Amino acid sequence: MTDLAQLVPYDEALSRYEPVIGLETHVELGTTTKMFCGCPTTFGLEPNSAVCPVCLGLPGSLPVANRAAIEYTIRIGLALNCSVATWCRFARKNYFYPDMPKDFQISQYDEPLCTDGWLDVVVEGRTVRVGIERVHLEEDTGKSLHMGGATGRIHGAEYSLVDYNRAGIPLVEVVTKPVAGTGALAPDVARTYVTELRDLLRSLGVSDVRMEEGSLRCDVNTSLAPHGAAEWGTRTETKNVNSLRSVERAVRFEIERQAAVLDAGQKVVQETRHFHEDNGSTTAGRSKEEAQDYRYFPEPDLVPVAPDRDWVEQIRASLPELPAARRTRLLAEWGLSDLEMTQLQNAGALDLIGATVAAGASAADARKWWMGELARHANATGTELADLPISATEVARVNALVKAGTINDKLARQVLDGVLAGEGDPDAVVAARGLAIVSDDAALTEAVDAAIAASPDIVAKIRDGKTAAVGALVGGVMKATRGRADANRARELILERLS
Ligand SMILES: [Zn+2]
């Protein structure tokens, strides 16, 4: 057991040890039905309402593979530069778990559908090629809910419930090869890889890739070895890390913890570990099973999968523009630097800006709103940009109102506030809050006269030819109209009055 006080500071750990990481990512596919039966895959249904004899594993029921799931897996494999097997089989992975109704899981073992690919990620200007060992297809388990305890974990719970709606949902597992040689960047590489993979999967349309709903789940392997060692260290597997930030923190913590274990002359135990969101630590779970513990054998109830080569080529030809290629294109189209592009990507703003541009705004304007006012709002409320209650069309409309001179930037921020607060679309907010710029002379005259009357000394300066002083009077007009005056027209009116 490691307590938090025994961690080796990160930089010090890296001065003595080299980390190797590996990532196993589970993706729930967005098929309409389950992997081996016709039950719906809809999230959030009444517990145990989307089940049938096949996914409950009742005696005599027989599975049939879902063609769409196989197609999606091939799409993922091709997008990750993998080879697609000409012939492969499902395998039975035997273990007892209460949320697995059959007491075995249909998975793939030594004959995965896709193998040996790669995904490039860019971290701090450096391109790291992450090797992909395999992309295989399996079925998800059900979900256990531990009730009556404080934490929702099994420890301390009074009883447990199980929901089999998720059992049998097609799940793709993407396993990387070990990633070595990234040194202090290892946590960042892990996070960027999962981000890139998520964006890739989203662009392929194969999953909604929502980490918070569990449709993208990550196991993070980390090991440490002294610099120059001939062999890699013993790895730990931190299970079900469920946010991008947690992926980075989990690797970082394991580096600091394993360095302390090795410094003390002890051995790192090969085990699964749990990640704790509250303090970013990991604690020991069960000792890691070996493959032979699962007694894998070819699934006798399913025929082998032999994807026709023409079909595979059709799928390849239908792949959309992938995120990396899209970024390269947008970089040129939007005139961005690499750093600016990375910022947009990290903020999850690329699609939003793209949609805002499609709705009529320039790229520069779209970027200004999303990365400025709206990013501030997202940060302040702890939300993702994409989850803010405002659409790209609405942002484009606010921008159009500024371009038309109906509002200025300052008023636009109030309009955005109004839309975010649920007061309606931008035009409705402008009308309801009375935010349109006043450029009508009749409406401005009163404020102009009041500003002139209030500052005889400034008026005297302007009459002496110091026209720069007019700014102070314009400021008075702006104040009197709560920022709604057309500043240029107010300036003209003041100068006309005093000439
Ligand atoms: Zn079913």
Side-chain angles (χ1 to χ4, degrees):
M1 285 270 118
T2 314
D3 83 51
L4 296 181
Q6 290 173 341
L7 301 177
V8 174
Y10 188 69
D11 291 339
E12 195 189 323
L14 268 299
S15 71
R16 289 196 287 279
Y17 300 105
E18 176 65 33
V20 177
I21 56 170
L23 292 124
E24 297 172 17
T25 312
H26 285 97
V27 190
E28 265 184 11
L29 295 182
T31 52
T32 48
T33 56
K34 290 186 180 180
M35 185 63 228
F36 300 113
C37 63
C39 290
T41 56
T42 320
F43 182 79
L45 294 179
E46 184 74 14
N48 298 307
S49 64
V51 290
C52 74
V54 173
C55 57
L56 287 176
L58 299 189
S61 63
L62 283 172
V64 178
N66 181 334
R67 180 186 165 98
I70 291 170
E71 178 177 338
Y72 284 7
T73 309
I74 293 173
R75 276 172 87 76
I76 296 169
L78 292 173
L80 290 171
N81 307 291
C82 289
S83 308
V84 177
T86 50
W87 190 92
C88 67
R89 283 178 298 188
F90 287 98
R92 236 178 232 200
K93 182 178 183 182
N94 297 280
Y95 61 108
F96 172 79
Y97 220 68
D99 55 16
M100 207 170 51
K102 297 194 293 272
D103 283 344
F104 63 81
Q105 179 187 26
I106 302 180
S107 180
Q108 292 194 287
Y109 178 47
D110 51 352
E111 301 167 46
L113 193 47
C114 309
T115 49
D116 198 23
W118 46 265
L119 180 64
D120 282 342
V121 299
V122 181
V123 177
E124 292 189 7
R126 180 181 153 195
T127 300
V128 177
R129 177 155 293 188
V130 177
I132 304 294
E133 186 173 293
R134 56 194 280 142
V135 178
H136 78 236
L137 188 52
E138 59 190 30
E139 58 179 337
D140 208 346
T141 59
K143 211 171 185 175
S144 296
L145 302 160
H146 306 296
M147 313 302 285
T151 59
R153 289 180 183 274
I154 193 164
H155 301 287
E158 288 169 23
Y159 61 97
S160 297
L161 298 172
V162 66
D163 175 7
Y164 290 122
N165 283 353
R166 200 178 69 180
I169 287 185
L171 204 59
V172 157
E173 184 172 352
V174 180
V175 182
T176 70
K177 296 175 182 176
V179 184
T182 58
L185 290 179
D188 215 348
V189 169
R191 179 198 174 115
T192 310
Y193 163 78
V194 179
T195 310
E196 187 72 27
L197 181 63
R198 180 197 63 179
D199 293 350
L200 180 99
L201 294 165
R202 188 179 286 143
S203 77
L204 293 174
V206 296
S207 170
D208 61 9
V209 287
R210 285 187 170 275
M211 287 188 99
E212 68 277 15
E213 285 182 7
S215 58
L216 183 73
R217 312 197 282 275
C218 217
D219 301 340
V220 183
N221 295 322
T222 313
S223 71
L224 279 194
H227 285 302
E231 288 184 3
W232 290 335
T234 304
R235 70 192 165 93
T236 58
E237 181 180 354
T238 306
K239 301 290 281 183
N240 290 333
V241 184
N242 58 11
S243 78
L244 295 171
R245 186 163 163 262
S246 299
V247 169
E248 184 174 342
R249 291 168 85 204
V251 173
R252 198 180 168 93
F253 182 87
E254 275 300 288
I255 288 174
E256 295 175 346
R257 185 189 71 84
Q258 292 183 22
V261 172
L262 296 172
D263 276 358
Q266 295 169 353
K267 284 184 174 163
V268 172
V269 179
Q270 181 168 348
E271 62 190 356
T272 62
R273 298 185 66 86
H274 300 298
F275 181 72
H276 303 280
E277 291 283 345
D278 50 353
N279 62 4
S281 71
T282 68
T283 50
R286 57 179 201 271
S287 64
K288 180 72 181 150
E289 301 83 356
E290 300 287 335
Q292 69 258 23
D293 296 330
Y294 290 119
R295 300 291 187 267
Y296 282 102
F297 61 85
E299 171 56 57
D301 286 344
L302 284 164
V303 292
V305 178
D308 184 80
R309 290 298 98 177
D310 289 342
W311 186 42
V312 172
E313 289 315 309
Q314 276 170 26
I315 297 171
R316 191 194 303 276
S318 76
L319 291 181
E321 180 183 39
L322 299 178
R326 178 167 177 246
R327 282 200 303 275
T328 307
R329 175 172 63 77
L330 292 179
L331 197 81
E333 280 181 20
W334 295 354
L336 301 177
S337 69
D338 286 328
L339 179 66
E340 287 166 334
M341 179 53 86
T342 306
Q343 285 167 346
L344 298 192
Q345 196 191 356
N346 289 346
L350 273 186
D351 287 345
L352 297 168
I353 292 173
T356 310
V357 169
S362 73
D365 285 342
R367 194 155 66 90
K368 178 181 82 177
W369 297 118
W370 283 108
M371 297 303 284
E373 192 60 21
L374 293 167
R376 265 194 294 283
H377 190 90
N379 280 339
T381 54
T383 2
E384 298 288 323
L385 273 184
D387 294 331
L388 288 179
I390 189 167
S391 69
T393 315
E394 288 169 330
V395 175
R397 178 61 188 157
V398 170
N399 189 62
L401 290 170
V402 174
K403 292 290 165 200
T406 309
I407 53 175
N408 56 28
D409 276 14
K410 216 168 177 178
L411 294 167
R413 286 199 279 278
Q414 295 184 47
V415 178
L416 293 173
D417 281 347
V419 176
L420 290 167
E423 293 170 22
D425 66 29
D427 292 281
V429 174
V430 168
R433 291 196 180 191
L435 294 176
I437 284 177
V438 179
S439 52
D440 176 44
D441 289 359
L444 286 176
T445 302
E446 192 185 336
V448 165
D449 288 345
I452 289 172
S455 307
D457 47 335
I458 294 174
V459 168
K461 280 186 190 171
I462 297 169
R463 289 210 158 114
D464 278 352
K466 292 174 184 156
T467 45
V470 75
L473 297 184
V474 174
V477 173
M478 296 306 286
K479 202 169 174 189
T481 57
R482 288 181 295 118
R484 292 167 49 220
D486 178 337
N488 288 332
R489 186 61 195 144
R491 173 186 300 268
E492 287 168 10
L493 285 174
I494 293 165
L495 292 175
E496 275 171 27
R497 282 276 197 290
L498 300 181
S499 63

